[in-house]
Amino acid sequence: MKYYEVEFTIQGPQELHQEACDVLSAMAAEAGFESFEDTPKGVTGYVQQTLFDREALRQVIDGFPLPDQRIDFSVSDAEDRDWNEQWEQQGFEPIVVGDRCIVHDGRHTQSSINQSSIFNFQFSIEIDARLAFGTGTHETTRMMLQALLDMPLQGARVLDCGTGTGILAIGALNMGAQEAVAYDIDEWSADNARHNAVINRVDSRLTVLLGDATLLYKEVEGEFDVVVANINRNILLADMPAFRHRMKPGATLLLSGFYRSDIPLLTERAASLGLTPTAESHDGDWALLAFRAMTDDK
């Protein structure tokens, strides 16, 4: 398949440059981009030519949440590459969460973490991240995994919204959940989540669907004990009613993918749906919120 190579140039305060690159990559992924490389001036992104939407990308830039940032971009044909092979060769270094969980790619398990073995951890998640978001390297993913580690998941039914690599659903199943349903709007991500479920031997307990939150009204059945969503703020605000629709009385909703400054807006939206805040955590400027559905009113 043919790709476009999009060169993003970011101009703004130097102390915010890396954060701006990370935020831009996350937001561009929602607009169809599949892979990113940091550059001295910003980020290079890659998107299938048939999926490229210049207007959607312009909306991403116009809605960029960090202050005093100017973002310009240029588009060119990307050279033909074996994208899967390139990503799989790079992999990522193991990530440890809460001293109990290790996320690894199956190839770098002895290269860091003081040469520790994956068997020294209570939970191990292997992720073959084929151009999908979610390896544990991002602050929001780590916070979500930590929140799941701190929950009583034994026998729970879990819903993972915008699953990416499937890391949160797979992590919840490894931590004791009985069943999980996950969905993603990106076909590559949905396929990758299914692939990672097989690697982690939880494929019989994980159902992965292709689509957006409308699936929660049309195809997904039953209610869930835990709902997780690590997506950007605007999608969380728009889709929260659909999340609430599938929550049991007493169920927990975990949200991340947004900044501390977004907390009041998300908390207000949750309150309007009968969700009560129960926890909050931060990693730098990134935030996580937990809510509980106190009644069955929807």
Side-chain angles (χ1 to χ4, degrees), residues 202-227:
V202 297
D203 50 304
S204 64
R205 295 186 288 138
L206 174 58
T207 300
V208 181
L209 303 173
L210 175 63
D212 59 18
T214 59
L215 292 169
L216 302 183
Y217 297 107
K218 298 177 180 178
E219 295 187 34
V220 175
E221 297 180 351
E223 296 178 319
F224 295 84
D225 303 285
V226 179
V227 177

mmCIF file with all atom_site columns, all heavy atoms in Angstrom, residues 202-227:
data_model
loop_
_atom_site.group_PDB
_atom_site.id
_atom_site.type_symbol
_atom_site.label_atom_id
_atom_site.label_alt_id
_atom_site.label_comp_id
_atom_site.label_asym_id
_atom_site.label_entity_id
_atom_site.label_seq_id
_atom_site.pdbx_PDB_ins_code
_atom_site.Cartn_x
_atom_site.Cartn_y
_atom_site.Cartn_z
_atom_site.occupancy
_atom_site.B_iso_or_equiv
_atom_site.pdbx_formal_charge
_atom_site.auth_seq_id
_atom_site.auth_comp_id
_atom_site.auth_asym_id
_atom_site.auth_atom_id
_atom_site.pdbx_PDB_model_num
ATOM 1   N N   . VAL A 1 202 ? -5.050  -14.990 25.526 1.00 0.00 ? 202 VAL A N   1
ATOM 2   C CA  . VAL A 1 202 ? -6.344  -14.564 26.076 1.00 0.00 ? 202 VAL A CA  1
ATOM 3   C C   . VAL A 1 202 ? -7.372  -14.382 24.970 1.00 0.00 ? 202 VAL A C   1
ATOM 4   O O   . VAL A 1 202 ? -8.435  -13.799 25.187 1.00 0.00 ? 202 VAL A O   1
ATOM 5   C CB  . VAL A 1 202 ? -6.206  -13.254 26.889 1.00 0.00 ? 202 VAL A CB  1
ATOM 6   C CG1 . VAL A 1 202 ? -5.299  -13.439 28.094 1.00 0.00 ? 202 VAL A CG1 1
ATOM 7   C CG2 . VAL A 1 202 ? -5.707  -12.111 26.005 1.00 0.00 ? 202 VAL A CG2 1
ATOM 8   N N   . ASP A 1 203 ? -7.074  -14.870 23.758 1.00 0.00 ? 203 ASP A N   1
ATOM 9   C CA  . ASP A 1 203 ? -7.954  -14.645 22.615 1.00 0.00 ? 203 ASP A CA  1
ATOM 10  C C   . ASP A 1 203 ? -9.328  -15.270 22.784 1.00 0.00 ? 203 ASP A C   1
ATOM 11  O O   . ASP A 1 203 ? -10.310 -14.785 22.214 1.00 0.00 ? 203 ASP A O   1
ATOM 12  C CB  . ASP A 1 203 ? -7.310  -15.141 21.319 1.00 0.00 ? 203 ASP A CB  1
ATOM 13  C CG  . ASP A 1 203 ? -6.785  -16.563 21.426 1.00 0.00 ? 203 ASP A CG  1
ATOM 14  O OD1 . ASP A 1 203 ? -5.956  -16.825 22.332 1.00 0.00 ? 203 ASP A OD1 1
ATOM 15  O OD2 . ASP A 1 203 ? -7.203  -17.412 20.618 1.00 0.00 ? 203 ASP A OD2 1
ATOM 16  N N   . SER A 1 204 ? -9.434  -16.316 23.594 1.00 0.00 ? 204 SER A N   1
ATOM 17  C CA  . SER A 1 204 ? -10.742 -16.936 23.815 1.00 0.00 ? 204 SER A CA  1
ATOM 18  C C   . SER A 1 204 ? -11.627 -16.094 24.724 1.00 0.00 ? 204 SER A C   1
ATOM 19  O O   . SER A 1 204 ? -12.841 -16.300 24.786 1.00 0.00 ? 204 SER A O   1
ATOM 20  C CB  . SER A 1 204 ? -10.579 -18.335 24.420 1.00 0.00 ? 204 SER A CB  1
ATOM 21  O OG  . SER A 1 204 ? -9.980  -18.260 25.714 1.00 0.00 ? 204 SER A OG  1
ATOM 22  N N   . ARG A 1 205 ? -11.029 -15.110 25.412 1.00 0.00 ? 205 ARG A N   1
ATOM 23  C CA  . ARG A 1 205 ? -11.791 -14.274 26.353 1.00 0.00 ? 205 ARG A CA  1
ATOM 24  C C   . ARG A 1 205 ? -11.872 -12.815 25.921 1.00 0.00 ? 205 ARG A C   1
ATOM 25  O O   . ARG A 1 205 ? -12.457 -11.999 26.628 1.00 0.00 ? 205 ARG A O   1
ATOM 26  C CB  . ARG A 1 205 ? -11.156 -14.357 27.749 1.00 0.00 ? 205 ARG A CB  1
ATOM 27  C CG  . ARG A 1 205 ? -11.231 -15.756 28.357 1.00 0.00 ? 205 ARG A CG  1
ATOM 28  C CD  . ARG A 1 205 ? -10.728 -15.763 29.782 1.00 0.00 ? 205 ARG A CD  1
ATOM 29  N NE  . ARG A 1 205 ? -9.295  -15.606 29.853 1.00 0.00 ? 205 ARG A NE  1
ATOM 30  C CZ  . ARG A 1 205 ? -8.657  -14.844 30.739 1.00 0.00 ? 205 ARG A CZ  1
ATOM 31  N NH1 . ARG A 1 205 ? -9.352  -14.122 31.614 1.00 0.00 ? 205 ARG A NH1 1
ATOM 32  N NH2 . ARG A 1 205 ? -7.337  -14.785 30.762 1.00 0.00 ? 205 ARG A NH2 1
ATOM 33  N N   . LEU A 1 206 ? -11.268 -12.493 24.765 1.00 0.00 ? 206 LEU A N   1
ATOM 34  C CA  . LEU A 1 206 ? -11.273 -11.116 24.272 1.00 0.00 ? 206 LEU A CA  1
ATOM 35  C C   . LEU A 1 206 ? -11.941 -11.043 22.905 1.00 0.00 ? 206 LEU A C   1
ATOM 36  O O   . LEU A 1 206 ? -11.520 -11.707 21.956 1.00 0.00 ? 206 LEU A O   1
ATOM 37  C CB  . LEU A 1 206 ? -9.842  -10.570 24.174 1.00 0.00 ? 206 LEU A CB  1
ATOM 38  C CG  . LEU A 1 206 ? -9.678  -9.178  23.545 1.00 0.00 ? 206 LEU A CG  1
ATOM 39  C CD1 . LEU A 1 206 ? -10.481 -8.131  24.304 1.00 0.00 ? 206 LEU A CD1 1
ATOM 40  C CD2 . LEU A 1 206 ? -8.202  -8.785  23.487 1.00 0.00 ? 206 LEU A CD2 1
ATOM 41  N N   . THR A 1 207 ? -12.967 -10.224 22.816 1.00 0.00 ? 207 THR A N   1
ATOM 42  C CA  . THR A 1 207 ? -13.638 -9.950  21.549 1.00 0.00 ? 207 THR A CA  1
ATOM 43  C C   . THR A 1 207 ? -13.230 -8.554  21.088 1.00 0.00 ? 207 THR A C   1
ATOM 44  O O   . THR A 1 207 ? -13.389 -7.587  21.834 1.00 0.00 ? 207 THR A O   1
ATOM 45  C CB  . THR A 1 207 ? -15.169 -10.004 21.708 1.00 0.00 ? 207 THR A CB  1
ATOM 46  O OG1 . THR A 1 207 ? -15.549 -11.305 22.161 1.00 0.00 ? 207 THR A OG1 1
ATOM 47  C CG2 . THR A 1 207 ? -15.859 -9.703  20.386 1.00 0.00 ? 207 THR A CG2 1
ATOM 48  N N   . VAL A 1 208 ? -12.690 -8.444  19.875 1.00 0.00 ? 208 VAL A N   1
ATOM 49  C CA  . VAL A 1 208 ? -12.252 -7.161  19.337 1.00 0.00 ? 208 VAL A CA  1
ATOM 50  C C   . VAL A 1 208 ? -13.143 -6.799  18.147 1.00 0.00 ? 208 VAL A C   1
ATOM 51  O O   . VAL A 1 208 ? -13.282 -7.579  17.201 1.00 0.00 ? 208 VAL A O   1
ATOM 52  C CB  . VAL A 1 208 ? -10.781 -7.195  18.897 1.00 0.00 ? 208 VAL A CB  1
ATOM 53  C CG1 . VAL A 1 208 ? -10.355 -5.823  18.367 1.00 0.00 ? 208 VAL A CG1 1
ATOM 54  C CG2 . VAL A 1 208 ? -9.878  -7.608  20.054 1.00 0.00 ? 208 VAL A CG2 1
ATOM 55  N N   . LEU A 1 209 ? -13.737 -5.601  18.195 1.00 0.00 ? 209 LEU A N   1
ATOM 56  C CA  . LEU A 1 209 ? -14.639 -5.127  17.156 1.00 0.00 ? 209 LEU A CA  1
ATOM 57  C C   . LEU A 1 209 ? -14.046 -3.924  16.440 1.00 0.00 ? 209 LEU A C   1
ATOM 58  O O   . LEU A 1 209 ? -13.293 -3.148  17.032 1.00 0.00 ? 209 LEU A O   1
ATOM 59  C CB  . LEU A 1 209 ? -15.984 -4.739  17.769 1.00 0.00 ? 209 LEU A CB  1
ATOM 60  C CG  . LEU A 1 209 ? -16.711 -5.829  18.567 1.00 0.00 ? 209 LEU A CG  1
ATOM 61  C CD1 . LEU A 1 209 ? -17.941 -5.244  19.253 1.00 0.00 ? 209 LEU A CD1 1
ATOM 62  C CD2 . LEU A 1 209 ? -17.093 -6.992  17.670 1.00 0.00 ? 209 LEU A CD2 1
ATOM 63  N N   . LEU A 1 210 ? -14.404 -3.774  15.178 1.00 0.00 ? 210 LEU A N   1
ATOM 64  C CA  . LEU A 1 210 ? -13.973 -2.629  14.384 1.00 0.00 ? 210 LEU A CA  1
ATOM 65  C C   . LEU A 1 210 ? -15.110 -1.619  14.325 1.00 0.00 ? 210 LEU A C   1
ATOM 66  O O   . LEU A 1 210 ? -16.217 -1.940  13.890 1.00 0.00 ? 210 LEU A O   1
ATOM 67  C CB  . LEU A 1 210 ? -13.602 -3.071  12.968 1.00 0.00 ? 210 LEU A CB  1
ATOM 68  C CG  . LEU A 1 210 ? -13.231 -1.956  11.976 1.00 0.00 ? 210 LEU A CG  1
ATOM 69  C CD1 . LEU A 1 210 ? -11.972 -1.222  12.431 1.00 0.00 ? 210 LEU A CD1 1
ATOM 70  C CD2 . LEU A 1 210 ? -13.049 -2.532  10.573 1.00 0.00 ? 210 LEU A CD2 1
ATOM 71  N N   . GLY A 1 211 ? -14.852 -0.389  14.787 1.00 0.00 ? 211 GLY A N   1
ATOM 72  C CA  . GLY A 1 211 ? -15.868 0.641   14.752 1.00 0.00 ? 211 GLY A CA  1
ATOM 73  C C   . GLY A 1 211 ? -15.664 1.659   15.860 1.00 0.00 ? 211 GLY A C   1
ATOM 74  O O   . GLY A 1 211 ? -14.668 1.634   16.577 1.00 0.00 ? 211 GLY A O   1
ATOM 75  N N   . ASP A 1 212 ? -16.639 2.562   15.997 1.00 0.00 ? 212 ASP A N   1
ATOM 76  C CA  . ASP A 1 212 ? -16.559 3.594   17.024 1.00 0.00 ? 212 ASP A CA  1
ATOM 77  C C   . ASP A 1 212 ? -17.570 3.320   18.133 1.00 0.00 ? 212 ASP A C   1
ATOM 78  O O   . ASP A 1 212 ? -18.112 2.216   18.245 1.00 0.00 ? 212 ASP A O   1
ATOM 79  C CB  . ASP A 1 212 ? -16.773 4.977   16.409 1.00 0.00 ? 212 ASP A CB  1
ATOM 80  C CG  . ASP A 1 212 ? -18.123 5.113   15.707 1.00 0.00 ? 212 ASP A CG  1
ATOM 81  O OD1 . ASP A 1 212 ? -19.033 4.292   15.978 1.00 0.00 ? 212 ASP A OD1 1
ATOM 82  O OD2 . ASP A 1 212 ? -18.270 6.043   14.898 1.00 0.00 ? 212 ASP A OD2 1
ATOM 83  N N   . ALA A 1 213 ? -17.839 4.333   18.964 1.00 0.00 ? 213 ALA A N   1
ATOM 84  C CA  . ALA A 1 213 ? -18.676 4.126   20.149 1.00 0.00 ? 213 ALA A CA  1
ATOM 85  C C   . ALA A 1 213 ? -20.125 3.780   19.814 1.00 0.00 ? 213 ALA A C   1
ATOM 86  O O   . ALA A 1 213 ? -20.857 3.304   20.686 1.00 0.00 ? 213 ALA A O   1
ATOM 87  C CB  . ALA A 1 213 ? -18.627 5.368   21.032 1.00 0.00 ? 213 ALA A CB  1
ATOM 88  N N   . THR A 1 214 ? -20.561 3.977   18.572 1.00 0.00 ? 214 THR A N   1
ATOM 89  C CA  . THR A 1 214 ? -21.921 3.579   18.216 1.00 0.00 ? 214 THR A CA  1
ATOM 90  C C   . THR A 1 214 ? -22.111 2.071   18.331 1.00 0.00 ? 214 THR A C   1
ATOM 91  O O   . THR A 1 214 ? -23.247 1.592   18.449 1.00 0.00 ? 214 THR A O   1
ATOM 92  C CB  . THR A 1 214 ? -22.278 4.039   16.787 1.00 0.00 ? 214 THR A CB  1
ATOM 93  O OG1 . THR A 1 214 ? -21.346 3.463   15.858 1.00 0.00 ? 214 THR A OG1 1
ATOM 94  C CG2 . THR A 1 214 ? -22.226 5.562   16.681 1.00 0.00 ? 214 THR A CG2 1
ATOM 95  N N   . LEU A 1 215 ? -21.014 1.327   18.313 1.00 0.00 ? 215 LEU A N   1
ATOM 96  C CA  . LEU A 1 215 ? -21.090 -0.120  18.530 1.00 0.00 ? 215 LEU A CA  1
ATOM 97  C C   . LEU A 1 215 ? -21.727 -0.455  19.873 1.00 0.00 ? 215 LEU A C   1
ATOM 98  O O   . LEU A 1 215 ? -22.349 -1.511  20.028 1.00 0.00 ? 215 LEU A O   1
ATOM 99  C CB  . LEU A 1 215 ? -19.691 -0.745  18.476 1.00 0.00 ? 215 LEU A CB  1
ATOM 100 C CG  . LEU A 1 215 ? -18.967 -0.768  17.129 1.00 0.00 ? 215 LEU A CG  1
ATOM 101 C CD1 . LEU A 1 215 ? -17.517 -1.180  17.342 1.00 0.00 ? 215 LEU A CD1 1
ATOM 102 C CD2 . LEU A 1 215 ? -19.656 -1.722  16.177 1.00 0.00 ? 215 LEU A CD2 1
ATOM 103 N N   . LEU A 1 216 ? -21.562 0.442   20.846 1.00 0.00 ? 216 LEU A N   1
ATOM 104 C CA  . LEU A 1 216 ? -22.069 0.168   22.193 1.00 0.00 ? 216 LEU A CA  1
ATOM 105 C C   . LEU A 1 216 ? -23.594 0.201   22.243 1.00 0.00 ? 216 LEU A C   1
ATOM 106 O O   . LEU A 1 216 ? -24.190 -0.296  23.190 1.00 0.00 ? 216 LEU A O   1
ATOM 107 C CB  . LEU A 1 216 ? -21.477 1.175   23.180 1.00 0.00 ? 216 LEU A CB  1
ATOM 108 C CG  . LEU A 1 216 ? -19.940 1.201   23.244 1.00 0.00 ? 216 LEU A CG  1
ATOM 109 C CD1 . LEU A 1 216 ? -19.472 2.173   24.302 1.00 0.00 ? 216 LEU A CD1 1
ATOM 110 C CD2 . LEU A 1 216 ? -19.385 -0.188  23.511 1.00 0.00 ? 216 LEU A CD2 1
ATOM 111 N N   . TYR A 1 217 ? -24.210 0.788   21.239 1.00 0.00 ? 217 TYR A N   1
ATOM 112 C CA  . TYR A 1 217 ? -25.664 0.788   21.140 1.00 0.00 ? 217 TYR A CA  1
ATOM 113 C C   . TYR A 1 217 ? -26.174 -0.296  20.190 1.00 0.00 ? 217 TYR A C   1
ATOM 114 O O   . TYR A 1 217 ? -27.315 -0.732  20.302 1.00 0.00 ? 217 TYR A O   1
ATOM 115 C CB  . TYR A 1 217 ? -26.170 2.147   20.640 1.00 0.00 ? 217 TYR A CB  1
ATOM 116 C CG  . TYR A 1 217 ? -25.863 3.299   21.558 1.00 0.00 ? 217 TYR A CG  1
ATOM 117 C CD1 . TYR A 1 217 ? -24.883 4.229   21.221 1.00 0.00 ? 217 TYR A CD1 1
ATOM 118 C CD2 . TYR A 1 217 ? -26.542 3.472   22.759 1.00 0.00 ? 217 TYR A CD2 1
ATOM 119 C CE1 . TYR A 1 217 ? -24.593 5.301   22.058 1.00 0.00 ? 217 TYR A CE1 1
ATOM 120 C CE2 . TYR A 1 217 ? -26.266 4.544   23.596 1.00 0.00 ? 217 TYR A CE2 1
ATOM 121 C CZ  . TYR A 1 217 ? -25.293 5.455   23.234 1.00 0.00 ? 217 TYR A CZ  1
ATOM 122 O OH  . TYR A 1 217 ? -25.013 6.507   24.062 1.00 0.00 ? 217 TYR A OH  1
ATOM 123 N N   . LYS A 1 218 ? -25.318 -0.721  19.252 1.00 0.00 ? 218 LYS A N   1
ATOM 124 C CA  . LYS A 1 218 ? -25.789 -1.590  18.182 1.00 0.00 ? 218 LYS A CA  1
ATOM 125 C C   . LYS A 1 218 ? -25.340 -3.044  18.301 1.00 0.00 ? 218 LYS A C   1
ATOM 126 O O   . LYS A 1 218 ? -26.120 -3.958  18.057 1.00 0.00 ? 218 LYS A O   1
ATOM 127 C CB  . LYS A 1 218 ? -25.303 -1.044  16.833 1.00 0.00 ? 218 LYS A CB  1
ATOM 128 C CG  . LYS A 1 218 ? -25.836 0.339   16.485 1.00 0.00 ? 218 LYS A CG  1
ATOM 129 C CD  . LYS A 1 218 ? -25.237 0.825   15.170 1.00 0.00 ? 218 LYS A CD  1
ATOM 130 C CE  . LYS A 1 218 ? -25.748 2.201   14.800 1.00 0.00 ? 218 LYS A CE  1
ATOM 131 N NZ  . LYS A 1 218 ? -25.134 2.695   13.534 1.00 0.00 ? 218 LYS A NZ  1
ATOM 132 N N   . GLU A 1 219 ? -24.070 -3.282  18.646 1.00 0.00 ? 219 GLU A N   1
ATOM 133 C CA  . GLU A 1 219 ? -23.513 -4.628  18.575 1.00 0.00 ? 219 GLU A CA  1
ATOM 134 C C   . GLU A 1 219 ? -23.087 -5.209  19.919 1.00 0.00 ? 219 GLU A C   1
ATOM 135 O O   . GLU A 1 219 ? -23.182 -6.416  20.133 1.00 0.00 ? 219 GLU A O   1
ATOM 136 C CB  . GLU A 1 219 ? -22.311 -4.651  17.624 1.00 0.00 ? 219 GLU A CB  1
ATOM 137 C CG  . GLU A 1 219 ? -22.671 -4.351  16.174 1.00 0.00 ? 219 GLU A CG  1
ATOM 138 C CD  . GLU A 1 219 ? -21.492 -4.557  15.238 1.00 0.00 ? 219 GLU A CD  1
ATOM 139 O OE1 . GLU A 1 219 ? -20.685 -5.474  15.500 1.00 0.00 ? 219 GLU A OE1 1
ATOM 140 O OE2 . GLU A 1 219 ? -21.376 -3.801  14.259 1.00 0.00 ? 219 GLU A OE2 1
ATOM 141 N N   . VAL A 1 220 ? -22.604 -4.371  20.794 1.00 0.00 ? 220 VAL A N   1
ATOM 142 C CA  . VAL A 1 220 ? -22.141 -4.866  22.102 1.00 0.00 ? 220 VAL A CA  1
ATOM 143 C C   . VAL A 1 220 ? -23.351 -5.162  22.978 1.00 0.00 ? 220 VAL A C   1
ATOM 144 O O   . VAL A 1 220 ? -24.299 -4.372  23.035 1.00 0.00 ? 220 VAL A O   1
ATOM 145 C CB  . VAL A 1 220 ? -21.224 -3.833  22.776 1.00 0.00 ? 220 VAL A CB  1
ATOM 146 C CG1 . VAL A 1 220 ? -20.851 -4.279  24.182 1.00 0.00 ? 220 VAL A CG1 1
ATOM 147 C CG2 . VAL A 1 220 ? -19.973 -3.620  21.936 1.00 0.00 ? 220 VAL A CG2 1
ATOM 148 N N   . GLU A 1 221 ? -23.312 -6.288  23.657 1.00 0.00 ? 221 GLU A N   1
ATOM 149 C CA  . GLU A 1 221 ? -24.427 -6.693  24.505 1.00 0.00 ? 221 GLU A CA  1
ATOM 150 C C   . GLU A 1 221 ? -23.993 -6.757  25.962 1.00 0.00 ? 221 GLU A C   1
ATOM 151 O O   . GLU A 1 221 ? -22.830 -6.991  26.289 1.00 0.00 ? 221 GLU A O   1
ATOM 152 C CB  . GLU A 1 221 ? -24.955 -8.064  24.068 1.00 0.00 ? 221 GLU A CB  1
ATOM 153 C CG  . GLU A 1 221 ? -25.522 -8.082  22.654 1.00 0.00 ? 221 GLU A CG  1
ATOM 154 C CD  . GLU A 1 221 ? -26.043 -9.453  22.265 1.00 0.00 ? 221 GLU A CD  1
ATOM 155 O OE1 . GLU A 1 221 ? -25.811 -10.416 23.018 1.00 0.00 ? 221 GLU A OE1 1
ATOM 156 O OE2 . GLU A 1 221 ? -26.692 -9.567  21.195 1.00 0.00 ? 221 GLU A OE2 1
ATOM 157 N N   . GLY A 1 222 ? -24.956 -6.565  26.866 1.00 0.00 ? 222 GLY A N   1
ATOM 158 C CA  . GLY A 1 222 ? -24.705 -6.701  28.286 1.00 0.00 ? 222 GLY A CA  1
ATOM 159 C C   . GLY A 1 222 ? -24.022 -5.490  28.893 1.00 0.00 ? 222 GLY A C   1
ATOM 160 O O   . GLY A 1 222 ? -23.756 -4.490  28.227 1.00 0.00 ? 222 GLY A O   1
ATOM 161 N N   . GLU A 1 223 ? -23.741 -5.603  30.186 1.00 0.00 ? 223 GLU A N   1
ATOM 162 C CA  . GLU A 1 223 ? -23.117 -4.517  30.939 1.00 0.00 ? 223 GLU A CA  1
ATOM 163 C C   . GLU A 1 223 ? -21.745 -4.941  31.436 1.00 0.00 ? 223 GLU A C   1
ATOM 164 O O   . GLU A 1 223 ? -21.419 -6.130  31.481 1.00 0.00 ? 223 GLU A O   1
ATOM 165 C CB  . GLU A 1 223 ? -24.010 -4.117  32.120 1.00 0.00 ? 223 GLU A CB  1
ATOM 166 C CG  . GLU A 1 223 ? -25.354 -3.554  31.699 1.00 0.00 ? 223 GLU A CG  1
ATOM 167 C CD  . GLU A 1 223 ? -26.223 -3.215  32.891 1.00 0.00 ? 223 GLU A CD  1
ATOM 168 O OE1 . GLU A 1 223 ? -26.234 -4.000  33.862 1.00 0.00 ? 223 GLU A OE1 1
ATOM 169 O OE2 . GLU A 1 223 ? -26.891 -2.161  32.860 1.00 0.00 ? 223 GLU A OE2 1
ATOM 170 N N   . PHE A 1 224 ? -20.967 -3.931  31.845 1.00 0.00 ? 224 PHE A N   1
ATOM 171 C CA  . PHE A 1 224 ? -19.581 -4.182  32.219 1.00 0.00 ? 224 PHE A CA  1
ATOM 172 C C   . PHE A 1 224 ? -19.292 -3.665  33.624 1.00 0.00 ? 224 PHE A C   1
ATOM 173 O O   . PHE A 1 224 ? -19.874 -2.678  34.070 1.00 0.00 ? 224 PHE A O   1
ATOM 174 C CB  . PHE A 1 224 ? -18.644 -3.506  31.216 1.00 0.00 ? 224 PHE A CB  1
ATOM 175 C CG  . PHE A 1 224 ? -18.737 -4.091  29.828 1.00 0.00 ? 224 PHE A CG  1
ATOM 176 C CD1 . PHE A 1 224 ? -19.721 -3.661  28.948 1.00 0.00 ? 224 PHE A CD1 1
ATOM 177 C CD2 . PHE A 1 224 ? -17.863 -5.080  29.424 1.00 0.00 ? 224 PHE A CD2 1
ATOM 178 C CE1 . PHE A 1 224 ? -19.809 -4.206  27.675 1.00 0.00 ? 224 PHE A CE1 1
ATOM 179 C CE2 . PHE A 1 224 ? -17.945 -5.630  28.157 1.00 0.00 ? 224 PHE A CE2 1
ATOM 180 C CZ  . PHE A 1 224 ? -18.925 -5.189  27.280 1.00 0.00 ? 224 PHE A CZ  1
ATOM 181 N N   . ASP A 1 225 ? -18.354 -4.355  34.285 1.00 0.00 ? 225 ASP A N   1
ATOM 182 C CA  . ASP A 1 225 ? -17.907 -3.942  35.616 1.00 0.00 ? 225 ASP A CA  1
ATOM 183 C C   . ASP A 1 225 ? -16.882 -2.810  35.534 1.00 0.00 ? 225 ASP A C   1
ATOM 184 O O   . ASP A 1 225 ? -16.806 -1.980  36.436 1.00 0.00 ? 225 ASP A O   1
ATOM 185 C CB  . ASP A 1 225 ? -17.273 -5.132  36.352 1.00 0.00 ? 225 ASP A CB  1
ATOM 186 C CG  . ASP A 1 225 ? -18.219 -6.312  36.466 1.00 0.00 ? 225 ASP A CG  1
ATOM 187 O OD1 . ASP A 1 225 ? -19.136 -6.236  37.290 1.00 0.00 ? 225 ASP A OD1 1
ATOM 188 O OD2 . ASP A 1 225 ? -18.029 -7.285  35.712 1.00 0.00 ? 225 ASP A OD2 1
ATOM 189 N N   . VAL A 1 226 ? -16.088 -2.820  34.472 1.00 0.00 ? 226 VAL A N   1
ATOM 190 C CA  . VAL A 1 226 ? -15.030 -1.826  34.289 1.00 0.00 ? 226 VAL A CA  1
ATOM 191 C C   . VAL A 1 226 ? -15.025 -1.378  32.835 1.00 0.00 ? 226 VAL A C   1
ATOM 192 O O   . VAL A 1 226 ? -15.054 -2.210  31.919 1.00 0.00 ? 226 VAL A O   1
ATOM 193 C CB  . VAL A 1 226 ? -13.640 -2.399  34.651 1.00 0.00 ? 226 VAL A CB  1
ATOM 194 C CG1 . VAL A 1 226 ? -12.557 -1.350  34.438 1.00 0.00 ? 226 VAL A CG1 1
ATOM 195 C CG2 . VAL A 1 226 ? -13.617 -2.902  36.089 1.00 0.00 ? 226 VAL A CG2 1
ATOM 196 N N   . VAL A 1 227 ? -14.993 -0.073  32.629 1.00 0.00 ? 227 VAL A N   1
ATOM 197 C CA  . VAL A 1 227 ? -14.862 0.497   31.289 1.00 0.00 ? 227 VAL A CA  1
ATOM 198 C C   . VAL A 1 227 ? -13.610 1.366   31.281 1.00 0.00 ? 227 VAL A C   1
ATOM 199 O O   . VAL A 1 227 ? -13.426 2.212   32.169 1.00 0.00 ? 227 VAL A O   1
ATOM 200 C CB  . VAL A 1 227 ? -16.089 1.347   30.910 1.00 0.00 ? 227 VAL A CB  1
ATOM 201 C CG1 . VAL A 1 227 ? -15.899 1.988   29.532 1.00 0.00 ? 227 VAL A CG1 1
ATOM 202 C CG2 . VAL A 1 227 ? -17.359 0.492   30.930 1.00 0.00 ? 227 VAL A CG2 1
#
